[in-house]
Amino acid sequence: VPTTHPTYGFSATGASTHPSTVVSNSDSSDSFQEYGPSSATELAYGLFGSPTMVDIDGDNSVDVAYIGDSEGYIFKVSFDSLTPSTPTTCLFASPDATDESKKLYYRPAAFFSPGGELLVYYGSGSPFDIYDTETGGLYVKSDPTPYSCQAAAPAPCAAQSTLFNSSGFMSFTGTGEKIVGDPIAAFGRLFFTTHTPGANPCLLGTSRIYGIDVETCGGGIPDVTTDSYSQDTSQLYTEVDGLISQPVFANGRIYALN
């Protein structure tokens, strides 16, 4: 995740619904397009966040990458081992209409389900705007055809969960609540942290550590009441005061700095 706003960003071509595709590359290339500030010195389009690389076939090379931007779009880049210098880029998913934040700066979590489906889970939030009141959320998506440009589908568990809408999006419940780090997948759970700002920057607000069962899209944080490795499938998050770091999973437990 960048620590300051860069002057220029990049966007994939071939995604006609994305606003940055109206700006052409100076070299007319067909992979990523460069774009920058508008005449009003404000960024005309979005900026990319951190990418996630996936080795699908286990040959120790990247087959596909997923990367979000500050407009709420997430792109897929597919690499062909025969022509690695000319990857295929396409729009993977658009922002949900109810996502107020839409900023996808943090790295998506990509992993395989027990049934072999490639799942891509990611949340909206920005390290630059943690005190605004735009509320973010969590996306749970499935990639039906990782080697091609078919659009994302909702993760199978979204249809069975009351937490997510039909497109696989869960809006956070706190006013201005947004994700504050990379989500991580471990032992059938997705762990991530969020922050809800206080009434002004002088107030710390509150933070939450979430646990999502990736098969049911229900709650699943570690059972902190018994300090054991078992999972509490009914609890979605635990809340603390102040600003929290992204989670780290080690020795069957979740750690985060507060």
Side-chain angles (χ1 to χ4, degrees), residues 135-231:
T135 302
L138 181 72
Y139 293 82
V140 291
K141 299 292 186 179
S142 171
D143 191 341
T145 54
Y147 289 104
S148 70
C149 273
Q150 184 175 342
C157 63
Q160 309 166 13
S161 174
T162 58
L163 300 174
F164 292 84
N165 64 18
S166 59
S167 64
F169 177 72
M170 176 186 75
S171 181
F172 297 139
T173 57
T175 301
E177 183 182 1
K178 293 175 286 292
I179 196 168
V180 291
D182 299 340
I184 58 172
F187 295 95
R189 301 291 189 270
L190 183 81
F191 299 103
F192 60 95
T193 52
T194 67
H195 179 67
T196 300
N200 62 67
C202 295
L203 300 176
L204 292 177
T206 58
S207 295
R208 292 173 175 175
I209 304 175
Y210 280 81
I212 297 286
D213 186 314
V214 299
E215 290 191 62
T216 67
C217 283
I221 67 171
D223 188 352
V224 296
T225 59
T226 60
D227 193 27
S228 70
Y229 293 163
S230 63
Q231 302 290 333

Side-chain angles (χ1 to χ4, degrees), residues 24-44:
S24 296
N25 242 349
S26 57
D27 61 1
S28 301
S29 62
D30 193 30
S31 56
F32 286 94
Q33 292 183 335
E34 186 177 58
Y35 55 98
S38 68
S39 57
T41 70
E42 300 252 343
L43 284 170

Side-chain angles (χ1 to χ4, degrees), residues 47-72:
L47 296 172
F48 269 162
S50 298
T52 288
M53 312 291 189
V54 183
D55 175 12
I56 297 175
D57 53 13
D59 64 351
N60 294 317
S61 64
V62 175
D63 296 304
V64 64
Y66 302 92
I67 182 169
D69 73 359
S70 58
E71 298 285 319

Side-chain angles (χ1 to χ4, degrees), residues 1 75 86 108 126 190 192 202 210 233 249 252:
V1 176
F75 297 92
T86 55
S126 167
L190 183 81
F192 60 95
C202 295
Y210 280 81
T233 57
F249 190 87

